[in-house]
Coordinates of all heavy atoms in Angstrom, one line a residue:
I1 N -38.6 -1.1 -3.5 CA -40.0 -1.4 -3.5 C -40.5 -0.9 -4.8 O -40.3 0.2 -5.2 CB -40.7 -0.7 -2.3 CG1 -40.2 -1.2 -1.0 CG2 -42.2 -0.8 -2.5 CD1 -40.7 -0.4 0.2
I2 N -41.3 -1.8 -5.5 CA -42.0 -1.4 -6.7 C -43.4 -1.2 -6.4 O -44.1 -2.0 -5.7 CB -41.9 -2.5 -7.8 CG1 -40.4 -2.8 -8.1 CG2 -42.6 -2.2 -9.0 CD1 -39.7 -1.7 -8.8
V3 N -44.0 -0.1 -6.9 CA -45.4 0.3 -6.6 C -46.2 0.2 -7.9 O -45.7 0.7 -8.9 CB -45.4 1.7 -6.0 CG1 -46.9 2.1 -5.7 CG2 -44.6 1.8 -4.8
S4 N -47.3 -0.4 -7.8 CA -48.2 -0.5 -8.9 C -49.3 0.6 -8.7 O -49.8 0.7 -7.6 CB -48.9 -1.9 -9.1 OG -47.9 -2.8 -9.3
Y5 N -49.7 1.2 -9.7 CA -50.8 2.2 -9.6 C -51.6 2.3 -10.9 O -51.1 1.9 -11.9 CB -50.3 3.6 -9.2 CG -49.3 4.2 -10.2 CD1 -49.8 5.1 -11.2 CD2 -48.0 3.9 -10.3 CE1 -48.9 5.6 -12.1 CE2 -47.1 4.4 -11.2 CZ -47.6 5.3 -12.1 OH -46.8 5.8 -13.1
E6 N -52.8 2.8 -10.7 CA -53.7 2.9 -11.9 C -53.8 4.4 -12.3 O -54.0 5.2 -11.5 CB -55.1 2.4 -11.5 CG -56.1 2.5 -12.7 CD -57.5 1.9 -12.3 OE1 -57.6 1.5 -11.2 OE2 -58.4 2.0 -13.1
N7 N -53.6 4.6 -13.6 CA -53.8 5.9 -14.2 C -55.3 6.3 -14.1 O -56.1 5.6 -14.8 CB -53.2 6.0 -15.6 CG -53.3 7.4 -16.1 OD1 -54.4 8.0 -16.1 ND2 -52.2 7.9 -16.7
M8 N -55.7 7.3 -13.4 CA -57.1 7.6 -13.2 C -57.7 8.1 -14.5 O -58.9 8.0 -14.7 CB -57.3 8.7 -12.2 CG -56.8 8.2 -10.8 SD -57.7 6.8 -10.2 CE -59.2 7.5 -9.7
N9 N -56.9 8.6 -15.5 CA -57.5 9.1 -16.8 C -57.7 7.9 -17.8 O -58.7 7.9 -18.5 CB -56.6 10.1 -17.4 CG -56.5 11.4 -16.5 OD1 -57.5 11.8 -16.0 ND2 -55.4 11.9 -16.4
T10 N -56.7 7.0 -17.8 CA -56.8 6.0 -18.8 C -57.2 4.6 -18.3 O -57.5 3.7 -19.0 CB -55.4 5.8 -19.5 OG1 -54.5 5.3 -18.6 CG2 -54.9 7.1 -20.1
G11 N -57.0 4.4 -17.0 CA -57.3 3.1 -16.3 C -56.2 2.1 -16.5 O -56.2 1.0 -16.0
A12 N -55.1 2.5 -17.2 CA -53.9 1.6 -17.4 C -53.1 1.5 -16.1 O -53.0 2.4 -15.3 CB -53.0 2.2 -18.5
M13 N -52.7 0.3 -15.9 CA -51.8 0.0 -14.7 C -50.4 0.2 -15.1 O -49.9 -0.1 -16.2 CB -52.0 -1.5 -14.2 CG -53.4 -1.8 -13.7 SD -53.8 -0.8 -12.2 CE -52.6 -1.4 -11.0
S14 N -49.6 0.8 -14.1 CA -48.2 1.1 -14.3 C -47.5 0.7 -13.1 O -48.1 0.5 -12.0 CB -48.0 2.6 -14.6 OG -48.6 3.0 -15.7
Q15 N -46.2 0.6 -13.2 CA -45.3 0.3 -12.1 C -44.1 1.2 -12.1 O -43.7 1.6 -13.1 CB -44.8 -1.1 -12.1 CG -45.9 -2.2 -11.8 CD -45.2 -3.5 -11.7 OE1 -44.2 -3.8 -12.2 NE2 -45.9 -4.4 -10.9
R16 N -43.6 1.6 -10.9 CA -42.4 2.3 -10.8 C -41.8 2.1 -9.4 O -42.5 1.8 -8.5 CB -42.6 3.8 -11.1 CG -43.5 4.6 -10.1 CD -43.6 6.0 -10.5 NE -44.6 6.7 -9.8 CZ -44.5 7.9 -9.3 NH1 -43.3 8.5 -9.5 NH2 -45.4 8.4 -8.6
P17 N -40.5 2.3 -9.3 CA -39.9 2.1 -8.0 C -40.2 3.2 -7.0 O -40.4 4.3 -7.4 CB -38.4 2.1 -8.4 CG -38.3 2.8 -9.7 CD -39.6 2.6 -10.4
L18 N -40.4 2.8 -5.8 CA -40.7 3.8 -4.8 C -39.4 4.6 -4.4 O -39.5 5.8 -4.2 CB -41.2 3.0 -3.5 CG -41.7 3.9 -2.4 CD1 -42.8 4.8 -2.8 CD2 -42.1 3.0 -1.2
G19 N -38.3 3.9 -4.6 CA -37.1 4.7 -4.3 C -36.9 5.2 -2.9 O -37.4 4.5 -2.0
D20 N -36.3 6.3 -2.8 CA -36.1 6.9 -1.5 C -37.2 7.9 -1.1 O -36.9 9.1 -0.9 CB -34.7 7.6 -1.4 CG -33.6 6.6 -1.6 OD1 -33.7 5.5 -1.1 OD2 -32.6 7.0 -2.3
A21 N -38.4 7.4 -1.1 CA -39.5 8.3 -0.9 C -39.9 8.5 0.5 O -41.0 8.8 0.9 CB -40.7 7.7 -1.7
I22 N -38.9 8.4 1.4 CA -39.1 8.7 2.8 C -39.4 10.2 2.8 O -38.7 11.0 2.2 CB -37.9 8.4 3.7 CG1 -37.5 6.9 3.6 CG2 -38.2 8.8 5.1 CD1 -38.6 5.9 4.0
I23 N -40.5 10.6 3.5 CA -40.9 12.0 3.4 C -40.5 12.8 4.6 O -41.0 12.5 5.7 CB -42.4 12.0 3.2 CG1 -42.8 11.2 2.0 CG2 -43.0 13.4 3.2 CD1 -44.2 11.3 1.5
P24 N -39.5 13.6 4.5 CA -39.0 14.4 5.6 C -39.9 15.6 6.0 O -39.8 16.0 7.2 CB -37.6 14.8 5.2 CG -37.8 15.0 3.7 CD -38.7 13.9 3.3
N25 N -40.7 16.1 5.1 CA -41.4 17.3 5.4 C -42.5 17.0 6.4 O -43.4 16.1 6.3 CB -42.0 17.7 4.0 CG -42.8 19.0 4.1 OD1 -43.7 19.1 4.9 ND2 -42.5 20.0 3.3
H26 N -42.6 17.8 7.4 CA -43.5 17.7 8.5 C -45.0 17.7 8.0 O -45.8 17.0 8.4 CB -43.3 18.8 9.6 CG -44.4 18.8 10.6 ND1 -44.5 17.9 11.6 CD2 -45.4 19.7 10.8 CE1 -45.5 18.2 12.4 NE2 -46.1 19.3 11.9
F27 N -45.2 18.6 7.1 CA -46.6 18.8 6.6 C -47.1 17.6 5.8 O -48.2 17.2 5.9 CB -46.7 20.1 5.8 CG -46.3 21.3 6.5 CD1 -45.1 22.0 6.3 CD2 -47.1 21.8 7.6 CE1 -44.8 23.1 7.0 CE2 -46.8 22.9 8.3 CZ -45.6 23.6 8.1
E28 N -46.2 17.0 5.0 CA -46.5 15.8 4.3 C -46.8 14.6 5.3 O -47.7 13.9 5.1 CB -45.4 15.4 3.3 CG -45.2 16.4 2.2 CD -44.0 16.2 1.4 OE1 -42.9 16.4 2.0 OE2 -44.1 15.9 0.2
L29 N -46.0 14.5 6.3 CA -46.1 13.5 7.3 C -47.5 13.6 8.0 O -48.2 12.6 8.2 CB -45.0 13.5 8.3 CG -43.7 13.0 7.8 CD1 -42.6 13.3 8.9 CD2 -43.7 11.5 7.5
E30 N -47.8 14.8 8.4 CA -49.1 15.1 9.1 C -50.3 14.8 8.1 O -51.3 14.2 8.6 CB -49.2 16.5 9.6 CG -48.3 16.8 10.7 CD -48.6 15.9 12.0 OE1 -49.8 15.8 12.3 OE2 -47.7 15.4 12.6
T31 N -50.1 15.1 6.9 CA -51.2 14.8 5.9 C -51.4 13.3 5.7 O -52.5 12.8 5.7 CB -50.9 15.5 4.6 OG1 -50.8 16.9 4.8 CG2 -52.0 15.3 3.6
L32 N -50.3 12.6 5.5 CA -50.3 11.1 5.4 C -51.0 10.5 6.6 O -51.9 9.7 6.5 CB -48.9 10.5 5.3 CG -48.3 10.7 3.9 CD1 -46.8 10.2 4.0 CD2 -49.0 9.9 2.9
C33 N -50.6 11.0 7.8 CA -51.2 10.4 9.0 C -52.7 10.7 9.1 O -53.5 9.8 9.4 CB -50.5 11.1 10.2 SG -50.9 10.4 11.8
Q34 N -53.1 11.8 8.7 CA -54.6 12.2 8.7 C -55.3 11.3 7.7 O -56.4 10.8 8.0 CB -54.8 13.6 8.3 CG -56.2 14.1 8.4 CD -56.4 15.5 8.1 OE1 -55.6 16.1 7.3 NE2 -57.4 16.1 8.6
L35 N -54.7 11.0 6.5 CA -55.4 10.3 5.5 C -55.4 8.8 5.8 O -56.1 8.0 5.1 CB -54.8 10.5 4.1 CG -55.0 12.0 3.6 CD1 -54.1 12.2 2.3 CD2 -56.4 12.2 3.4
L36 N -54.7 8.3 6.8 CA -54.7 6.9 7.1 C -56.1 6.4 7.6 O -56.5 5.3 7.4 CB -53.7 6.6 8.2 CG -52.2 6.6 7.8 CD1 -51.4 6.4 9.0 CD2 -52.0 5.4 6.9
D37 N -56.9 7.4 8.1 CA -58.2 7.0 8.6 C -59.3 7.0 7.5 O -60.4 6.7 7.7 CB -58.7 8.0 9.7 CG -57.8 7.8 11.0 OD1 -57.4 6.7 11.2 OD2 -57.6 8.8 11.7
G38 N -58.9 7.4 6.3 CA -59.8 7.4 5.2 C -59.9 8.7 4.5 O -59.1 9.6 4.9
P39 N -60.7 8.9 3.5 CA -60.8 10.1 2.8 C -61.1 11.3 3.7 O -61.8 11.2 4.7 CB -62.0 9.9 1.8 CG -62.0 8.4 1.6 CD -61.7 7.9 3.0
V40 N -60.5 12.5 3.3 CA -60.7 13.7 4.1 C -61.1 14.8 3.2 O -60.6 15.0 2.1 CB -59.4 14.1 4.8 CG1 -59.5 15.4 5.6 CG2 -58.9 13.0 5.8
W41 N -62.1 15.6 3.6 CA -62.6 16.7 2.8 C -61.6 17.8 2.8 O -60.9 18.0 3.8 CB -63.9 17.2 3.5 CG -64.6 18.3 2.7 CD1 -64.6 19.6 3.1 CD2 -65.2 18.2 1.5 NE1 -65.3 20.4 2.2 CE2 -65.7 19.5 1.1 CE3 -65.5 17.2 0.6 CZ2 -66.4 19.8 0.0 CZ3 -66.2 17.4 -0.6 CH2 -66.6 18.7 -0.9
D42 N -61.5 18.5 1.7 CA -60.5 19.6 1.5 C -60.4 20.5 2.7 O -59.3 20.9 3.1 CB -60.8 20.4 0.2 CG -60.0 19.9 -1.0 OD1 -59.1 19.2 -0.8 OD2 -60.4 20.3 -2.1
G43 N -61.5 21.0 3.2 CA -61.6 22.0 4.2 C -61.1 21.4 5.6 O -60.8 22.2 6.5
N44 N -60.9 20.1 5.7 CA -60.5 19.5 7.0 C -59.1 19.1 6.9 O -58.6 18.5 7.9 CB -61.4 18.4 7.3 CG -62.8 18.8 7.6 OD1 -63.1 19.9 8.0 ND2 -63.8 17.9 7.3
L45 N -58.4 19.3 5.8 CA -57.0 18.9 5.7 C -56.1 19.7 6.7 O -56.2 20.9 6.8 CB -56.4 19.0 4.3 CG -56.8 17.9 3.3 CD1 -56.4 18.4 1.9 CD2 -56.2 16.6 3.7
V46 N -55.1 19.0 7.3 CA -54.1 19.7 8.1 C -53.2 20.6 7.3 O -52.7 21.6 7.8 CB -53.3 18.8 9.0 CG1 -54.2 18.1 10.0 CG2 -52.5 17.8 8.2
S47 N -52.9 20.2 6.0 CA -52.0 21.0 5.2 C -52.3 20.7 3.7 O -52.1 19.7 3.2 CB -50.5 20.6 5.5 OG -49.7 21.2 4.6
K48 N -52.8 21.8 3.1 CA -53.0 21.7 1.6 C -51.7 21.7 0.9 O -51.5 21.1 -0.2 CB -53.9 22.8 1.1 CG -55.3 22.6 1.6 CD -56.3 23.5 1.1 CE -57.7 23.2 1.6 NZ -58.6 24.3 1.5
C49 N -50.7 22.4 1.4 CA -49.3 22.4 0.8 C -48.8 21.0 0.8 O -48.2 20.5 -0.2 CB -48.4 23.4 1.5 SG -46.7 23.4 0.9
G50 N -48.9 20.3 2.0 CA -48.4 18.9 2.1 C -49.1 18.0 1.2 O -48.6 17.1 0.5
R51 N -50.5 18.2 1.1 CA -51.3 17.4 0.2 C -50.8 17.6 -1.3 O -50.7 16.6 -2.0 CB -52.8 17.8 0.3 CG -53.8 17.0 -0.5 CD -54.2 17.6 -1.8 NE -54.2 19.0 -2.0 CZ -55.3 19.8 -1.8 NH1 -56.4 19.3 -1.4 NH2 -55.1 21.1 -2.0
D52 N -50.6 18.9 -1.7 CA -50.2 19.1 -3.1 C -48.9 18.4 -3.4 O -48.8 17.9 -4.5 CB -50.1 20.6 -3.3 CG -51.4 21.3 -3.3 OD1 -52.5 20.7 -3.4 OD2 -51.4 22.6 -3.1
K53 N -47.9 18.4 -2.5 CA -46.7 17.7 -2.7 C -46.9 16.2 -2.9 O -46.3 15.6 -3.7 CB -45.7 18.1 -1.6 CG -45.2 19.5 -1.7 CD -44.1 19.8 -0.6 CE -43.6 21.2 -0.8 NZ -42.6 21.5 0.2
L54 N -47.8 15.7 -2.0 CA -48.1 14.3 -2.1 C -48.8 13.9 -3.3 O -48.6 12.8 -3.9 CB -48.9 13.8 -0.8 CG -48.1 13.9 0.5 CD1 -49.0 13.8 1.7 CD2 -47.0 12.8 0.5
V55 N -49.7 14.8 -3.8 CA -50.4 14.5 -5.1 C -49.3 14.5 -6.2 O -49.4 13.6 -7.1 CB -51.4 15.6 -5.4 CG1 -51.9 15.6 -6.8 CG2 -52.6 15.5 -4.4
R56 N -48.4 15.4 -6.2 CA -47.3 15.4 -7.3 C -46.5 14.1 -7.2 O -46.0 13.6 -8.3 CB -46.4 16.6 -7.2 CG -47.1 17.9 -7.6 CD -46.1 19.0 -7.8 NE -45.5 19.5 -6.5 CZ -46.1 20.4 -5.7 NH1 -47.2 21.0 -6.1 NH2 -45.5 20.7 -4.6
R57 N -46.3 13.5 -6.1 CA -45.6 12.3 -5.9 C -46.4 11.1 -6.2 O -45.9 9.9 -6.3 CB -45.1 12.1 -4.5 CG -44.0 13.1 -4.1 CD -43.7 12.8 -2.6 NE -42.9 13.9 -2.1 CZ -41.7 13.7 -1.6 NH1 -41.2 12.5 -1.6 NH2 -41.0 14.7 -1.2
G58 N -47.7 11.3 -6.4 CA -48.6 10.1 -6.7 C -49.1 9.4 -5.5 O -49.7 8.3 -5.5
A59 N -48.8 10.0 -4.3 CA -49.2 9.3 -3.0 C -50.6 9.6 -2.6 O -51.2 8.9 -1.7 CB -48.2 9.7 -1.9
V60 N -51.2 10.7 -3.1 CA -52.5 11.1 -2.7 C -53.3 11.4 -3.9 O -52.8 12.0 -4.9 CB -52.5 12.4 -1.8 CG1 -53.8 13.0 -1.5 CG2 -51.8 12.0 -0.4
G61 N -54.6 11.0 -3.9 CA -55.5 11.3 -5.0 C -56.5 12.3 -4.5 O -56.8 12.4 -3.3
R62 N -57.2 12.9 -5.5 CA -58.2 13.9 -5.2 C -59.4 13.6 -6.1 O -59.3 13.2 -7.2 CB -57.7 15.3 -5.4 CG -56.5 15.7 -4.6 CD -56.1 17.1 -4.9 NE -57.1 18.0 -4.4 CZ -57.2 19.3 -4.8 NH1 -56.4 19.8 -5.6 NH2 -58.2 20.0 -4.3
G63 N -60.6 13.9 -5.5 CA -61.8 13.7 -6.3 C -63.0 14.3 -5.6 O -63.2 14.0 -4.4
D64 N -63.8 15.2 -6.3 CA -65.0 15.8 -5.7 C -64.8 16.4 -4.4 O -65.7 16.2 -3.5 CB -66.1 14.7 -5.7 CG -66.5 14.2 -7.1 OD1 -66.5 15.0 -8.0 OD2 -66.8 13.0 -7.2
G65 N -63.7 17.0 -4.1 CA -63.4 17.7 -2.9 C -62.8 16.8 -1.8 O -62.5 17.2 -0.7
W66 N -62.7 15.5 -2.1 CA -62.1 14.5 -1.2 C -60.6 14.2 -1.5 O -60.2 14.3 -2.7 CB -62.9 13.2 -1.2 CG -64.3 13.4 -0.6 CD1 -65.4 13.7 -1.3 CD2 -64.7 13.4 0.7 NE1 -66.5 13.8 -0.5 CE2 -66.0 13.6 0.8 CE3 -64.0 13.2 1.9 CZ2 -66.7 13.7 2.0 CZ3 -64.7 13.3 3.1 CH2 -66.0 13.5 3.1
N67 N -59.8 13.9 -0.5 CA -58.4 13.5 -0.6 C -58.3 12.1 0.0 O -58.8 11.8 1.0 CB -57.6 14.5 0.1 CG -57.8 15.9 -0.3 OD1 -57.2 16.4 -1.3 ND2 -58.7 16.6 0.3
F68 N -57.4 11.3 -0.7 CA -57.3 9.9 -0.2 C -55.9 9.4 -0.6 O -55.3 9.9 -1.5 CB -58.4 9.0 -0.8 CG -58.5 9.2 -2.3 CD1 -57.8 8.5 -3.2 CD2 -59.4 10.2 -2.8 CE1 -57.9 8.6 -4.6 CE2 -59.5 10.4 -4.2 CZ -58.8 9.6 -5.1
L69 N -55.5 8.4 0.1 CA -54.2 7.7 -0.2 C -54.4 6.9 -1.4 O -55.4 6.2 -1.6 CB -53.8 6.8 1.0 CG -53.3 7.5 2.3 CD1 -52.9 6.4 3.3 CD2 -52.1 8.4 2.0
T70 N -53.4 6.9 -2.3 CA -53.3 6.0 -3.4 C -52.5 4.7 -2.9 O -52.0 4.7 -1.8 CB -52.6 6.6 -4.6 OG1 -51.2 6.9 -4.2 CG2 -53.3 7.9 -5.0
S71 N -52.3 3.8 -3.8 CA -51.5 2.6 -3.5 C -50.1 3.0 -3.2 O -49.4 2.4 -2.3 CB -51.6 1.5 -4.6 OG -51.1 2.1 -5.8
E72 N -49.6 4.0 -3.9 CA -48.2 4.5 -3.6 C -48.2 5.2 -2.2 O -47.2 5.0 -1.5 CB -47.7 5.5 -4.7 CG -46.3 5.9 -4.4 CD -45.6 6.4 -5.7 OE1 -46.0 6.1 -6.8 OE2 -44.6 7.0 -5.5
G73 N -49.2 5.9 -1.9 CA -49.3 6.5 -0.5 C -49.3 5.4 0.5 O -48.6 5.6 1.6
V74 N -50.0 4.3 0.3 CA -50.0 3.2 1.3 C -48.6 2.6 1.4 O -48.1 2.4 2.5 CB -51.0 2.1 0.9 CG1 -50.9 0.9 1.8 CG2 -52.4 2.7 1.0
A75 N -47.9 2.5 0.2 CA -46.6 1.9 0.2 C -45.6 2.8 1.0 O -44.7 2.3 1.8 CB -46.1 1.7 -1.2
I76 N -45.8 4.1 0.9 CA -44.9 5.1 1.6 C -45.2 4.9 3.1 O -44.3 4.9 3.9 CB -45.2 6.5 1.1 CG1 -44.6 6.7 -0.3 CG2 -44.5 7.5 2.1 CD1 -45.0 8.0 -0.9
C77 N -46.5 4.8 3.5 CA -46.8 4.7 4.9 C -46.2 3.4 5.5 O -45.8 3.4 6.6 CB -48.3 4.7 5.1 SG -49.0 6.3 4.8
V78 N -46.2 2.3 4.7 CA -45.6 1.1 5.2 C -44.1 1.3 5.3 O -43.5 0.9 6.3 CB -45.9 -0.1 4.2 CG1 -45.0 -1.3 4.5 CG2 -47.3 -0.5 4.2
T79 N -43.5 2.0 4.3 CA -42.0 2.2 4.4 C -41.6 3.0 5.6 O -40.6 2.7 6.2 CB -41.5 2.9 3.1 OG1 -41.9 2.1 2.0 CG2 -40.1 3.2 3.1
I80 N -42.4 4.0 5.9 CA -42.0 4.9 7.0 C -42.5 4.4 8.4 O -42.3 5.0 9.4 CB -42.4 6.4 6.8 CG1 -43.9 6.5 6.7 CG2 -41.7 6.9 5.6 CD1 -44.3 7.9 6.5
G81 N -43.2 3.3 8.4 CA -43.7 2.7 9.6 C -45.1 3.1 10.1 O -45.5 2.8 11.2
Y82 N -45.8 3.9 9.3 CA -47.2 4.3 9.7 C -48.1 3.1 9.6 O -49.2 3.1 10.2 CB -47.6 5.4 8.8 CG -47.1 6.8 9.2 CD1 -46.1 7.0 10.1 CD2 -47.7 8.0 8.7 CE1 -45.7 8.2 10.5 CE2 -47.3 9.2 9.0 CZ -46.3 9.3 9.9 OH -45.8 10.6 10.3
L83 N -47.9 2.2 8.7 CA -48.7 1.0 8.5 C -47.8 -0.2 8.5 O -46.6 -0.2 8.2 CB -49.4 1.0 7.2 CG -50.6 2.0 7.0 CD1 -51.0 2.0 5.5 CD2 -51.7 1.7 7.9
K84 N -48.4 -1.4 8.9 CA -47.6 -2.6 8.8 C -48.2 -3.4 7.7 O -49.4 -3.5 7.4 CB -47.8 -3.4 10.1 CG -47.1 -2.8 11.3 CD -47.1 -3.7 12.5 CE -46.4 -3.0 13.6 NZ -46.3 -3.8 14.8
S85 N -47.3 -4.1 6.9 CA -47.7 -4.9 5.8 C -48.1 -6.3 6.2 O -47.8 -6.7 7.3 CB -46.6 -4.9 4.7 OG -45.4 -5.4 5.2

């Protein structure tokens, strides 16, 4: 799976392979599941550690105290069966 994403600093579009991004960590899975319903305020996150790992993977974005799935996060959710394409 190839994932397209926008660099939030430059606005440039990039692509990279999703690879084996199945997420085994329970905290990351719970965070993804929570973010499926839309942006979540920092104080309401089930796991900030899980969120931080997902941010490093490019699956979650942050802004003004809110956390949200990126296009890569959506692709991961489709891959692991949380969403249907």
Side-chain angles (χ1 to χ4, degrees):
I1 297 172
I2 301 294
V3 180
S4 296
Y5 61 96
E6 181 179 356
N7 183 310
M8 297 300 283
N9 295 321
T10 65
M13 292 299 293
S14 299
Q15 289 187 333
R16 66 180 167 135
L18 185 59
D20 297 324
I22 305 300
I23 303 189
N25 181 305
H26 170 75
F27 300 109
E28 292 170 295
L29 287 170
E30 289 298 318
T31 302
L32 283 172
C33 188
Q34 185 181 26
L35 292 172
L36 285 172
D37 291 329
V40 175
W41 184 251
D42 266 343
N44 295 332
L45 280 172
V46 293
S47 172
K48 289 186 181 160
C49 177
R51 184 265 330 266
D52 291 344
K53 289 182 179 185
L54 292 166
V55 167
R56 285 193 293 272
R57 291 177 190 241
V60 170
R62 300 181 68 197
D64 296 324
W66 293 94
N67 303 273
F68 49 89
L69 288 178
T70 64
S71 58
E72 183 157 344
V74 171
I76 290 171
C77 288
V78 169
T79 301
I80 62 177
Y82 279 13
L83 289 171
K84 292 187 179 185
S85 55

